Amino acid sequence: MKSIDVYKQYFSAGCTYNGVERRGAVVWLMAESDSGNIRYEVGVTFFPHRDDEDFAVSYDACVQKELFSAKGRRSKKRDEQYLAQVRTTADELAASLNGVIHWDEPLGEAQYG
């Protein structure tokens, strides 16, 4: 199975999970292809981000949602279609953990694959 980070970015965030305050979140759109099938998934992980250099991601406050899975392959058109859904889906996922992503406070540049 080949996994590609179509999009990944770190943001300031707010969430308390397992008694630990989380001040950062990483949001991603991943494409996985295998044997003529393609799958797109959005995910959010909240992490402590105790200072400007703390990007130690803990995966206990992590949620994911599959957007698409079927026969086919990755294309720019599909990437764009699912990239357009990242923020809305990530906000829903964050809310499921009682968290919030501060979209206007990125902690780094967006990474595209």
Side-chain angles (χ1 to χ4, degrees):
M1 182 170 298
K2 184 176 180 182
S3 296
I4 299 164
D5 285 329
V6 176
Y7 165 81
K8 183 177 181 181
Q9 191 168 11
Y10 294 82
F11 293 92
S12 174
C15 181
T16 300
Y17 192 82
N18 281 341
V20 177
E21 185 177 355
R22 317 299 171 110
R23 295 185 181 119
V26 59
V27 177
W28 70 87
L29 172 65
M30 183 184 300
E32 292 181 339
S33 62
D34 187 33
S35 303
N37 294 307
I38 186 72
R39 179 178 174 273
Y40 284 88
E41 167 189 282
V42 171
V44 176
T45 298
F46 289 96
F47 60 99
H49 193 60
R50 292 180 178 99
D51 60 52
D52 289 343
E53 296 180 13
D54 180 13
F55 287 88
V57 176
S58 52
Y59 289 95
D60 61 338
C62 180
V63 285
Q64 304 159 24
K65 180 178 181 181
E66 182 178 272
L67 297 180
F68 178 81
S69 182
K71 288 240 180 250
R73 51 185 205 210
R74 182 178 175 214
S75 68
K76 285 188 178 203
K77 184 178 177 181
R78 278 197 176 137
D79 284 1
E80 290 171 6
Q81 177 183 357
Y82 296 114
L83 269 170
Q85 298 178 36
V86 167
R87 283 193 178 198
T88 303
T89 304
D91 282 338
E92 291 171 6
L93 294 171
S96 74
L97 295 177
N98 296 316
V100 63
I101 301 163
H102 305 296
W103 296 105
D104 57 341
E105 298 177 34
L107 298 175
E109 297 294 318
Q111 301 166 22
Y112 297 94

